[in-house]
Every structure is written in C-alpha cells, then in structure tokens.
Amino acid sequence: MFRKGKALWFLMVAGLFALLLVGCTNDTSSEPNETGDDQTEETDTAEETTGSGEINVGIVLPTRDEPRWVQDEQRFKDALAGSSYTTEILFSQGSSANELQNVETLISRGIDVLIISPHDGDAAGAAAQAAAAEGVTVIAYDRLITSTDAVDYYVTFDSFAVGEAQGQYLIDHAEGTGVPLYLYAGASSDNNAFLFFEGAWSVLQPKIADGTFVIANSSEAEALSANAELSRDEMGRILGQVTTNWDPNEAINKAQTHLTAAGDDLKGDVAILAPNDGTARSIADVFATDSDITSFVVTGQDAEMASIQYIIDGQQSMTVFKDVRRLVEDAMGMAVTILDGDTPETTGAYDNGAKEVAALQSEVIVVDQANVEAELIGSGYYEASDFTGLE
Ligand code: GAL
C-alpha cells in the first residue's frame, strides 16, 4: 500500500519538460510492426536520428499485444519528440526471458536509467539486478517489481483506488438485493492485480455481507465473504479461480464457463467486476449473448479507444481513466533528474517485500457515458473523430 509524502513534483516535471522540448528539433517516427510475431519488439526513438548507438534511457514495456501498452509507447514517443535525451523502447511480449534479454541489450547500449513495466513482478527481479549491477538506476513503471532491493523508484497510478472505483460503481448501480456478482481479476504475476482486487473488495465485501450482492462464480470468494480484509494468500486463492491473466480470450472462456454453470437465480440483472478494458469487452460480449441475462453493469480500466466506443454505445458501463501522459511525464521527468545527477522527488513509498520503494503516484478518473466527452475529448486524450455516436 502507498505511504504518502510531499506532492510538489508535478509542477517541477512540467517545468523541466518545457525546458527539454524547447531544446531540440528532431523528428522520430517508427510505425508499430503489425505482425507481432517477433520475440522482442524494438522501437528506436530519438537514438535513431542521432545514430550514436549510446542510449541514455531504456524503456521496457510488457507486450505490444495489448492496446494499453501501445498507448504508452506512443505517449513516450510524443513526450520525447525533439528531446536531446536518447531512448529506446523494447517490448517483452509477455515473456520474462525476453524481458531480461531486452534489459541486457539496453545495458550494452550504455543506459544510465531503466524504465521498466514488468511482465512478472517477481521474475523481473533478475532484470533489475542485472541493471543495478551496472550502476543503472531502475524505475518501475505502472507495475511494481517485487521481492528485490534492485529497484530504486516507482511511478504508478493509485491502483487500490482503481479497484475501489470499480466496486463502488457496481454498488451505485445495483438495484435491490441478491444481485448476482461475477468477479474477474488480472494476472497474479502482476502486483497491480492484487491492488485492484483489494480495492474492489474493500467496498464490495460489506455489500456482499449485507446481501446486496451474491457471489456467482467463486467458491473461494464465497468462503471468505465475511472477511473485510484479505491476506495476499487469500486473495491469491480467489485470483486463482477468477483470473483472466489479462488475456481477452481467457476472459471469454471463463465467462462462458461461469454462465454455463450458473442457475437461473444467478442470471437476470447482474453485476460484473472486470479488471480492465481488454477483458471487459470480451466478458460483456459473452454476457450479451446469454438470453437469460436481462441486463449487466460491467467495469473496466485504461480508457482504451475500443472501450470508449463500447461505453458510448452502452455495451460497457464504465472505465477507470489513467492518463498515461501523466505517467510518462513522471517517469521521464524522474529520468532527466537522475541524468542531471540529482535526486528525484517522490510523494510516498510502496513495500515490495524487500524494501520501501520511493514512489510517485497519480490519481485516476471514473469515466462513463455521462462524462466521456469531457474527460477523454475535452482533455485532448482522444479526438472526437475517433468515435461515432458522440453528441
Ligand atoms: C496492469 C495495468 C493496467 C492493465 C493491465 C493489463 O498492470 O496497470 O492498466 O493494462 O496491466 O496489461
């Protein structure tokens, strides 16, 4: 859990970035590779134009197979356009072995700072240790690297608040009592999946206990439904039953299995806790085809473009918007401070099982049909022309 500190940081980053942008005029453009069959995906950014081969900052993202991380790649590129700092973005394609190889490649390119979103929080310890051994400063990005002291900083969103917001949305839209509640979760290799679920459980459990909701698809969650707080192991048991592994196809299989097993008392008007947009759309599509399901409220996360269209069309109820521009700004701002030989400011810390990791945490925003235009178009995150059916 996040422990708070000072909060000046954002203003300083914005100032620093303005300085950086004024500095240079390079143009970078490397189109994403659609094949997706390469083991490690490479995207040269500023380095490509300077041709030096030396890289200041290495960036490693989990996979290109999810729109969320392609979004981050683009936001890094946007933020770095014209920067004098050289960076390289590599994708690990869902493999910790690739991740380690990516980090070793970047170390050989002379990086001083590594920004990394781990595929598997524990397994990424090896990559972090390899970097630290070469004097590289390691910044965990969005997902925490766990069980190692080789990570120096962490930039993230308030993941507990993501789950809390998803749970509260289901509560605010539940009518009557005995509403069937279908629980789904992220990959247990991802520390965030536990924080999301912990946040959701913190508000849902009292509503399960008072009979508002009836758990429809997890005997472990039912067995633990009297516990306001769950241990990591207890959460692990529930995740073991309802994980999607962040894979939309696995989400489809689980949803179909759960609906096939469910009796009429678990159909009708139901509530669905879906952990992110990619899985939410899959699960919603399955529930939409079950004629015994009268209506459903389904959560999401990431404000992926496809889910914004689903929300506009009423096929997904909400998403938790995490403004990736802010996360990129925080991460690059930290990297610039470190490259300048200074110590970046942080606003709190996370216990990763080996140490208290100094962290910078950003807020999240609930988006549904009522505020989708204001939050996603009004903020310039997307263009109105990216969607149909907007007012
Ligand atoms: C989480 C991340 C989410 C979601 C998910 C799937 O760690 O915080 O935004 O995208 O991974 O990749």
Side-chain angles (χ1 to χ4, degrees), residues 100 103 114 116 123-134 136 138 145 148-151:
L100 179 57
V103 171
L114 172 67
I116 174 169
Q129 278 140 24
E134 300 297 327
V136 173
V138 177
I145 297 174
T148 176
D149 58 11
V151 54

Side-chain angles (χ1 to χ4, degrees), residues 183 185 197 201 218 220-222 224 230 233-243:
L183 300 169
F197 194 81
W201 188 262
S218 169
E220 291 284 358
E222 258 180 276
L224 293 161
L230 301 171
D233 285 353
E234 288 169 336
M235 266 194 285
R237 293 208 301 269
I238 299 174
L239 264 62
Q241 288 188 325
V242 301
T243 183

Side-chain angles (χ1 to χ4, degrees), residues 45 115 154-155 172 228 244 251 253 281 283 305 315 329 334 359:
T45 54
I115 295 172
Y154 180 34
V155 292
D172 296 345
T244 62
N253 297 338
R281 293 192 301 277
I283 294 165
M305 220 182 254
Q315 294 167 268
E329 218 168 81
M334 234 184 215

Side-chain angles (χ1 to χ4, degrees), residues 62-63 66 68-69 117 142-143 156-157 159 190-193 196 246 275-276 301-302 304 322:
T63 177
E66 290 177 41
R68 154 68 213 260
W69 303 108
S117 187
D142 192 281
R143 296 176 176 179
T156 188
F157 292 99
S159 297
D190 177 0
N191 186 62
N192 281 345
F196 300 145
W246 297 129
N276 76 339
Q301 170 184 192
D302 292 329
E304 288 179 3
K322 307 196 305 185

Side-chain angles (χ1 to χ4, degrees), residues 169 277 281 284 298 303-319 367-378 382-391:
Y169 196 90
D277 285 350
R281 293 192 301 277
V298 59
E304 288 179 3
M305 220 182 254
S307 276
I308 296 305
Q309 190 61 57
Y310 261 46
I311 288 172
I312 293 167
D313 299 341
Q315 294 167 268
Q316 181 176 328
S317 313
M318 62 86 81
T319 187
V367 167
D368 66 7
Q369 266 183 350
N371 65 347
V372 66
E373 194 147 356
E375 296 297 345
L376 276 302
I377 313 299
Y382 293 134
E383 308 289 330
S385 56
D386 292 328
F387 308 102
T388 58
L390 274 175
E391 303 306 313

Side-chain angles (χ1 to χ4, degrees), residues 103-136:
V103 171
E104 284 164 352
T105 300
L106 293 167
I107 291 168
S108 71
R109 309 283 298 270
I111 58 171
D112 300 305
V113 178
L114 172 67
I115 295 172
I116 174 169
S117 187
H119 164 63
D120 175 316
D122 269 0
Q129 278 140 24
E134 300 297 327
V136 173

Side-chain angles (χ1 to χ4, degrees), residues 341-370:
D342 301 325
T343 303
E345 292 226 7
T346 53
T347 56
Y350 271 81
D351 177 356
N352 80 341
K355 67 183 276 191
E356 288 283 323
V357 183
L360 198 53
Q361 178 169 288
S362 298
E363 303 313 309
V364 299
I365 299 167
V366 171
V367 167
D368 66 7
Q369 266 183 350

